Amino acid sequence: MTLKNKKVKLSFGFEKSGRITSAFLLCGAFFLSDCSRTKPNLEECSDAQIHISKLIANDETMEKGVQALMLRSVLKPETSEAIIKSCVENKSLLQVQCELSKEKFSDLQECKKHAPKRAETEG
């Protein structure tokens, strides 16, 4: 009997082919692994960097000189790349999602509570 013709009886009474069952289980594994992810990926950090830049640009409470200086700094390609790399390595997924949800630059401070805990001493 080939795998193609083999039927698998599932505990809830339905019969499915082995291929369909395997595909379903594989999709479930990918879904569950994504749910347990705690670190942001490059795209999420890049989106957060762009979002934070927009928040800086739209902040009416910030002095224009400070605002311009911050924007020049974060929009330099080498600085932006370093910020994104640092985000991937040092921020939690929850922290990045929090940053993406904020509508004011001043509200970003709240997201630091989601930062990964760091060991005080390594030994």
Side-chain angles (χ1 to χ4, degrees), residues 87-104:
C87 168
V88 171
E89 294 173 359
N90 301 315
K91 289 186 178 182
S92 71
L93 177 59
L94 198 55
Q95 184 178 3
V96 171
Q97 290 170 337
C98 176
E99 290 171 351
L100 286 166
S101 72
K102 297 304 176 191
E103 295 182 20
K104 291 182 181 178

PDB file of all heavy atoms in Angstrom, residues 87-104:
ATOM      1  N   CYS A  87      18.039  46.388  17.469  1.00  0.00           N
ATOM      2  CA  CYS A  87      16.653  46.003  17.751  1.00  0.00           C
ATOM      3  C   CYS A  87      16.494  44.491  17.687  1.00  0.00           C
ATOM      4  O   CYS A  87      15.952  43.872  18.596  1.00  0.00           O
ATOM      5  CB  CYS A  87      15.717  46.686  16.755  1.00  0.00           C
ATOM      6  SG  CYS A  87      14.026  46.077  16.748  1.00  0.00           S
ATOM      7  N   VAL A  88      16.980  43.883  16.608  1.00  0.00           N
ATOM      8  CA  VAL A  88      16.859  42.429  16.424  1.00  0.00           C
ATOM      9  C   VAL A  88      17.555  41.689  17.570  1.00  0.00           C
ATOM     10  O   VAL A  88      17.042  40.700  18.089  1.00  0.00           O
ATOM     11  CB  VAL A  88      17.431  41.991  15.058  1.00  0.00           C
ATOM     12  CG1 VAL A  88      17.515  40.483  14.951  1.00  0.00           C
ATOM     13  CG2 VAL A  88      16.593  42.557  13.923  1.00  0.00           C
ATOM     14  N   GLU A  89      18.707  42.194  17.980  1.00  0.00           N
ATOM     15  CA  GLU A  89      19.508  41.510  18.998  1.00  0.00           C
ATOM     16  C   GLU A  89      19.054  41.791  20.423  1.00  0.00           C
ATOM     17  O   GLU A  89      19.196  40.934  21.294  1.00  0.00           O
ATOM     18  CB  GLU A  89      20.979  41.909  18.857  1.00  0.00           C
ATOM     19  CG  GLU A  89      21.615  41.425  17.568  1.00  0.00           C
ATOM     20  CD  GLU A  89      23.020  41.961  17.351  1.00  0.00           C
ATOM     21  OE1 GLU A  89      23.520  42.744  18.203  1.00  0.00           O
ATOM     22  OE2 GLU A  89      23.621  41.598  16.327  1.00  0.00           O
ATOM     23  N   ASN A  90      18.503  42.976  20.681  1.00  0.00           N
ATOM     24  CA  ASN A  90      18.293  43.397  22.072  1.00  0.00           C
ATOM     25  C   ASN A  90      16.861  43.671  22.502  1.00  0.00           C
ATOM     26  O   ASN A  90      16.619  43.891  23.682  1.00  0.00           O
ATOM     27  CB  ASN A  90      19.134  44.650  22.359  1.00  0.00           C
ATOM     28  CG  ASN A  90      20.602  44.404  22.125  1.00  0.00           C
ATOM     29  OD1 ASN A  90      21.154  43.398  22.538  1.00  0.00           O
ATOM     30  ND2 ASN A  90      21.250  45.320  21.416  1.00  0.00           N
ATOM     31  N   LYS A  91      15.930  43.714  21.572  1.00  0.00           N
ATOM     32  CA  LYS A  91      14.545  44.001  21.941  1.00  0.00           C
ATOM     33  C   LYS A  91      13.703  42.734  21.882  1.00  0.00           C
ATOM     34  O   LYS A  91      14.018  41.797  21.156  1.00  0.00           O
ATOM     35  CB  LYS A  91      13.933  45.061  21.008  1.00  0.00           C
ATOM     36  CG  LYS A  91      14.504  46.444  21.229  1.00  0.00           C
ATOM     37  CD  LYS A  91      13.773  47.475  20.394  1.00  0.00           C
ATOM     38  CE  LYS A  91      14.297  48.865  20.652  1.00  0.00           C
ATOM     39  NZ  LYS A  91      13.550  49.888  19.883  1.00  0.00           N
ATOM     40  N   SER A  92      12.619  42.753  22.621  1.00  0.00           N
ATOM     41  CA  SER A  92      11.670  41.639  22.558  1.00  0.00           C
ATOM     42  C   SER A  92      10.636  41.936  21.471  1.00  0.00           C
ATOM     43  O   SER A  92      10.426  43.092  21.094  1.00  0.00           O
ATOM     44  CB  SER A  92      10.968  41.452  23.906  1.00  0.00           C
ATOM     45  OG  SER A  92      10.060  42.511  24.142  1.00  0.00           O
ATOM     46  N   LEU A  93      10.006  40.879  20.979  1.00  0.00           N
ATOM     47  CA  LEU A  93       8.943  41.044  19.982  1.00  0.00           C
ATOM     48  C   LEU A  93       7.820  41.904  20.554  1.00  0.00           C
ATOM     49  O   LEU A  93       7.294  42.788  19.889  1.00  0.00           O
ATOM     50  CB  LEU A  93       8.412  39.675  19.550  1.00  0.00           C
ATOM     51  CG  LEU A  93       7.265  39.666  18.565  1.00  0.00           C
ATOM     52  CD1 LEU A  93       7.644  40.372  17.269  1.00  0.00           C
ATOM     53  CD2 LEU A  93       6.821  38.239  18.277  1.00  0.00           C
ATOM     54  N   LEU A  94       7.499  41.681  21.811  1.00  0.00           N
ATOM     55  CA  LEU A  94       6.433  42.444  22.465  1.00  0.00           C
ATOM     56  C   LEU A  94       6.789  43.933  22.536  1.00  0.00           C
ATOM     57  O   LEU A  94       5.934  44.796  22.322  1.00  0.00           O
ATOM     58  CB  LEU A  94       6.207  41.884  23.873  1.00  0.00           C
ATOM     59  CG  LEU A  94       4.907  42.219  24.561  1.00  0.00           C
ATOM     60  CD1 LEU A  94       3.709  41.829  23.705  1.00  0.00           C
ATOM     61  CD2 LEU A  94       4.835  41.525  25.909  1.00  0.00           C
ATOM     62  N   GLN A  95       8.057  44.249  22.789  1.00  0.00           N
ATOM     63  CA  GLN A  95       8.499  45.638  22.841  1.00  0.00           C
ATOM     64  C   GLN A  95       8.351  46.311  21.474  1.00  0.00           C
ATOM     65  O   GLN A  95       7.861  47.430  21.375  1.00  0.00           O
ATOM     66  CB  GLN A  95       9.955  45.694  23.308  1.00  0.00           C
ATOM     67  CG  GLN A  95      10.496  47.091  23.493  1.00  0.00           C
ATOM     68  CD  GLN A  95      11.923  47.115  24.001  1.00  0.00           C
ATOM     69  OE1 GLN A  95      12.553  46.079  24.164  1.00  0.00           O
ATOM     70  NE2 GLN A  95      12.435  48.287  24.268  1.00  0.00           N
ATOM     71  N   VAL A  96       8.738  45.607  20.413  1.00  0.00           N
ATOM     72  CA  VAL A  96       8.631  46.164  19.060  1.00  0.00           C
ATOM     73  C   VAL A  96       7.164  46.345  18.672  1.00  0.00           C
ATOM     74  O   VAL A  96       6.782  47.364  18.098  1.00  0.00           O
ATOM     75  CB  VAL A  96       9.383  45.272  18.046  1.00  0.00           C
ATOM     76  CG1 VAL A  96       9.109  45.711  16.617  1.00  0.00           C
ATOM     77  CG2 VAL A  96      10.880  45.301  18.330  1.00  0.00           C
ATOM     78  N   GLN A  97       6.320  45.376  19.006  1.00  0.00           N
ATOM     79  CA  GLN A  97       4.893  45.504  18.715  1.00  0.00           C
ATOM     80  C   GLN A  97       4.291  46.682  19.471  1.00  0.00           C
ATOM     81  O   GLN A  97       3.452  47.409  18.938  1.00  0.00           O
ATOM     82  CB  GLN A  97       4.163  44.204  19.061  1.00  0.00           C
ATOM     83  CG  GLN A  97       4.508  43.079  18.126  1.00  0.00           C
ATOM     84  CD  GLN A  97       3.979  41.729  18.592  1.00  0.00           C
ATOM     85  OE1 GLN A  97       3.710  41.510  19.775  1.00  0.00           O
ATOM     86  NE2 GLN A  97       3.849  40.806  17.650  1.00  0.00           N
ATOM     87  N   CYS A  98       4.743  46.887  20.695  1.00  0.00           N
ATOM     88  CA  CYS A  98       4.287  48.036  21.492  1.00  0.00           C
ATOM     89  C   CYS A  98       4.688  49.339  20.808  1.00  0.00           C
ATOM     90  O   CYS A  98       3.868  50.249  20.658  1.00  0.00           O
ATOM     91  CB  CYS A  98       4.896  47.952  22.897  1.00  0.00           C
ATOM     92  SG  CYS A  98       4.523  49.363  23.968  1.00  0.00           S
ATOM     93  N   GLU A  99       5.945  49.420  20.359  1.00  0.00           N
ATOM     94  CA  GLU A  99       6.426  50.626  19.679  1.00  0.00           C
ATOM     95  C   GLU A  99       5.610  50.921  18.427  1.00  0.00           C
ATOM     96  O   GLU A  99       5.260  52.073  18.154  1.00  0.00           O
ATOM     97  CB  GLU A  99       7.904  50.472  19.321  1.00  0.00           C
ATOM     98  CG  GLU A  99       8.819  50.482  20.523  1.00  0.00           C
ATOM     99  CD  GLU A  99      10.256  50.127  20.207  1.00  0.00           C
ATOM    100  OE1 GLU A  99      10.544  49.705  19.070  1.00  0.00           O
ATOM    101  OE2 GLU A  99      11.095  50.265  21.109  1.00  0.00           O
ATOM    102  N   LEU A 100       5.286  49.892  17.687  1.00  0.00           N
ATOM    103  CA  LEU A 100       4.509  50.071  16.457  1.00  0.00           C
ATOM    104  C   LEU A 100       3.081  50.548  16.732  1.00  0.00           C
ATOM    105  O   LEU A 100       2.440  51.116  15.855  1.00  0.00           O
ATOM    106  CB  LEU A 100       4.487  48.770  15.651  1.00  0.00           C
ATOM    107  CG  LEU A 100       5.791  48.430  14.941  1.00  0.00           C
ATOM    108  CD1 LEU A 100       5.780  46.987  14.462  1.00  0.00           C
ATOM    109  CD2 LEU A 100       6.026  49.381  13.776  1.00  0.00           C
ATOM    110  N   SER A 101       2.592  50.317  17.939  1.00  0.00           N
ATOM    111  CA  SER A 101       1.216  50.703  18.265  1.00  0.00           C
ATOM    112  C   SER A 101       1.102  52.138  18.786  1.00  0.00           C
ATOM    113  O   SER A 101       0.000  52.670  18.896  1.00  0.00           O
ATOM    114  CB  SER A 101       0.633  49.744  19.309  1.00  0.00           C
ATOM    115  OG  SER A 101       1.230  49.972  20.585  1.00  0.00           O
ATOM    116  N   LYS A 102       2.226  52.768  19.096  1.00  0.00           N
ATOM    117  CA  LYS A 102       2.189  54.107  19.697  1.00  0.00           C
ATOM    118  C   LYS A 102       1.933  55.187  18.650  1.00  0.00           C
ATOM    119  O   LYS A 102       2.341  55.080  17.509  1.00  0.00           O
ATOM    120  CB  LYS A 102       3.494  54.407  20.447  1.00  0.00           C
ATOM    121  CG  LYS A 102       3.732  53.474  21.619  1.00  0.00           C
ATOM    122  CD  LYS A 102       2.570  53.514  22.587  1.00  0.00           C
ATOM    123  CE  LYS A 102       2.739  52.526  23.707  1.00  0.00           C
ATOM    124  NZ  LYS A 102       1.534  52.354  24.494  1.00  0.00           N
ATOM    125  N   GLU A 103       1.248  56.233  19.095  1.00  0.00           N
ATOM    126  CA  GLU A 103       0.914  57.336  18.206  1.00  0.00           C
ATOM    127  C   GLU A 103       1.683  58.611  18.534  1.00  0.00           C
ATOM    128  O   GLU A 103       1.614  59.582  17.793  1.00  0.00           O
ATOM    129  CB  GLU A 103      -0.592  57.601  18.250  1.00  0.00           C
ATOM    130  CG  GLU A 103      -1.391  56.436  17.691  1.00  0.00           C
ATOM    131  CD  GLU A 103      -2.884  56.687  17.676  1.00  0.00           C
ATOM    132  OE1 GLU A 103      -3.301  57.863  17.729  1.00  0.00           O
ATOM    133  OE2 GLU A 103      -3.628  55.710  17.601  1.00  0.00           O
ATOM    134  N   LYS A 104       2.412  58.610  19.660  1.00  0.00           N
ATOM    135  CA  LYS A 104       3.209  59.766  20.061  1.00  0.00           C
ATOM    136  C   LYS A 104       4.598  59.289  20.457  1.00  0.00           C
ATOM    137  O   LYS A 104       4.751  58.239  21.096  1.00  0.00           O
ATOM    138  CB  LYS A 104       2.588  60.482  21.260  1.00  0.00           C
ATOM    139  CG  LYS A 104       1.292  61.181  20.962  1.00  0.00           C
ATOM    140  CD  LYS A 104       0.808  61.892  22.205  1.00  0.00           C
ATOM    141  CE  LYS A 104      -0.502  62.591  21.975  1.00  0.00           C
ATOM    142  NZ  LYS A 104      -0.981  63.232  23.203  1.00  0.00           N
TER     143      LYS A 104
END
